[in-house]
Amino acid sequence: MFAGSGLLFFGMFFCLISSFFAFSLIGKKNLPSFNAPFVAISAIICTAILIYSLFWKSSDFISSITSSAFIAPAILLLFLSLISVALPKPWLQFILLALSCCGIIFNFNIFIEFSPQIPPIINKLLSATLWLTICYFPRIINLNTGIICTQTLTISLGTIMLYFINALPQALGMLAAYISACFIGLVIAGQKNSNLLLSDHMSNLLGFLIGWLVIYASAEGAGSCIIIFALYPLIEITIALIQKLTFMPQFAITKNNTLYLRMINADTPPSIINRHLLRISAICILFGNFQAFAPNNYSILIFCLLIIIWQLYRICNWREIPSGFKETNKKFLSDVKNNLQEVSQRLKNIDKGRK
């Protein structure tokens, strides 16, 4: 563990210094840069993975992850980022992402066993579909550099902790460390240079990177832990998509339906938003690591979900001083009921108008 930890911190240091150097070069143009930052991150992570492959330990795994299976996504990530810059076509990127996800899962036999009762081919198809779906999740919360970096760091730092408590193999701890270092570098560099941005096109590739971590960690039995790390963005994505599926004009743009933008539009002070979101991230990392020792996959997950929903409700109602826990719960349930009734009434009006 000591030698592995030393290798992890060395790799993390290498990625951090490399990212600082790359972002400083990109920032010298003093122009908005939407693609270069993630191309740099892809190149740094690919290089770090290739170096780590020299120290590969196959005995750590309980799944069929091999050295070549671990290197392949890193090379594909760099390839996809370069192609996305040269040919920024959404349909082309979708095809390449779908081929990449399916190719890795079927060629290297790495997949999530959703149920032992269904055939492996179905589990593989579901895993590939999940990975491709994750590719398009980050663009929904790509509202500013801070929010997308914070949520990426929550997942990657939580995964590093799983490695240190022996819940994941060294290779996945290394990958999480490389992701953490690059996005720490982006957060710090972004505070000094607001031109370092991430386009929606490139955020799809960030989804591929996160999906790589999710699929491989889930194949190693840590899927429920990763879900807890990602609870806040999953809540945001779910709320945004549900509102879009009402087909009302005001919900047409998915990322405009997030709670985060609602908080900003309600003039919530950034200090309150940042404090609560950092608290949520800390809660997710803590409970996600507890989940590694839980007897089942759902008890801690449900408990953590309720805590996060409560924290989000507190942010959205920051102006109000609750008179008590019971009264606040009543108001929360009343608000939910009123919102559901309003959506139901609008859907009925739409149906009447069509008739």
Side-chain angles (χ1 to χ4, degrees):
M1 172 63 77
F2 179 77
S5 299
L7 190 62
L8 183 145
F9 286 117
F10 174 79
M12 200 169 182
F13 180 75
F14 166 78
C15 291
L16 186 62
I17 296 302
S18 299
S19 64
F20 280 146
F21 178 73
F23 297 145
S24 65
L25 288 179
I26 295 168
K28 283 184 178 179
K29 295 180 180 180
N30 290 322
L31 294 171
S33 181
F34 296 96
N35 298 323
F38 194 79
V39 173
I41 289 172
S42 301
I44 293 167
I45 289 177
C46 184
T47 303
I49 292 293
L50 291 173
I51 293 172
Y52 171 71
S53 66
L54 302 174
F55 305 92
W56 184 258
K57 288 177 62 178
S58 57
S59 59
D60 279 354
F61 295 90
I62 61 173
S63 65
S64 58
I65 298 175
T66 61
S67 176
S68 56
F70 195 68
I71 293 171
I75 295 174
L76 281 172
L77 179 68
L78 180 57
F79 169 76
L80 288 168
S81 63
L82 293 174
I83 289 294
S84 295
V85 172
L87 298 169
K89 306 290 184 182
W91 61 268
L92 176 62
Q93 188 186 63
F94 175 81
I95 292 172
L96 292 175
L97 284 171
L99 290 174
S100 299
C101 297
C102 292
I104 292 169
I105 285 174
F106 284 93
N107 287 337
F108 296 106
N109 199 37
I110 298 167
F111 60 93
I112 303 171
E113 190 178 55
F114 291 94
S115 173
Q117 279 75 42
I118 59 178
I121 185 69
I122 303 299
N123 280 316
K124 290 180 181 179
L125 285 171
L126 290 174
S127 299
T129 303
L130 175 62
W131 194 346
L132 182 60
T133 303
I134 293 172
C135 291
Y136 289 88
F137 277 175
R139 68 185 297 134
I140 297 176
I141 61 166
N142 186 25
L143 304 167
N144 57 54
T145 304
I147 187 71
I148 200 165
C149 286
T150 301
Q151 299 314 309
T152 302
L153 284 169
T154 301
I155 297 170
S156 59
L157 290 174
T159 307
I160 295 173
M161 294 296 294
L162 289 177
Y163 161 68
F164 280 115
I165 62 175
N166 293 319
L168 280 179
Q170 184 185 84
L172 293 177
M174 293 292 175
L175 174 60
Y178 303 155
I179 296 171
S180 298
C182 289
F183 279 88
I184 288 171
L186 184 57
V187 168
I188 295 173
Q191 291 177 343
K192 298 179 180 178
N193 187 347
S194 59
N195 290 323
L196 294 172
L197 304 167
L198 190 67
S199 67
D200 285 345
H201 202 58
M202 283 296 169
S203 69
N204 297 336
L205 302 185
L206 172 58
F208 179 81
L209 176 60
I210 294 172
W212 171 15
L213 188 62
V214 169
I215 298 297
Y216 280 46
S218 298
E220 289 292 309
S224 57
C225 302
I226 303 296
I227 291 174
I228 292 176
F229 299 151
L231 271 179
Y232 168 67
L234 286 175
I235 291 171
E236 285 281 31
I237 290 163
T238 302
I239 291 172
L241 290 177
I242 287 174
Q243 291 180 90
K244 184 176 178 63
L245 290 175
T246 61
F247 300 106
M248 297 180 188
Q250 64 267 37
F251 301 136
I253 302 175
T254 308
K255 67 166 54 182
N256 289 349
N257 302 334
T258 56
L259 286 174
Y260 184 84
L261 276 186
R262 188 179 299 176
M263 298 170 202
I264 297 295
N265 294 334
D267 296 326
T268 309
S271 59
I272 292 178
I273 297 176
N274 295 337
R275 183 170 67 249
H276 280 81
L277 291 185
L278 288 175
R279 187 180 299 167
I280 287 171
S281 294
I283 290 169
C284 289
I285 292 173
L286 179 65
F287 283 98
N289 281 273
F290 283 155
Q291 178 61 49
F293 304 102
N296 63 69
N297 293 330
Y298 304 106
S299 56
I300 294 180
L301 173 62
I302 294 170
F303 180 67
C304 189
L305 176 62
L306 293 174
I307 292 175
I308 293 170
I309 291 173
W310 173 250
Q311 289 292 326
L312 291 173
Y313 182 74
R314 289 181 64 189
I315 306 175
C316 292
N317 296 274
W318 64 275
R319 286 191 178 91
E320 301 175 12
I321 302 175
S323 55
F325 185 75
K326 185 181 293 186
E327 288 76 8
T328 307
N329 280 341
K330 286 181 180 179
K331 187 177 186 307
F332 172 70
L333 294 173
S334 176
D335 288 346
V336 172
K337 183 179 178 181
N338 291 336
N339 288 334
L340 290 174
Q341 288 176 345
E342 182 181 352
V343 170
S344 176
Q345 186 60 44
R346 288 183 179 179
L347 289 174
K348 289 179 182 177
N349 292 338
I350 292 174
D351 289 338
K352 288 180 180 178
R354 289 175 178 173
K355 292 176 182 178

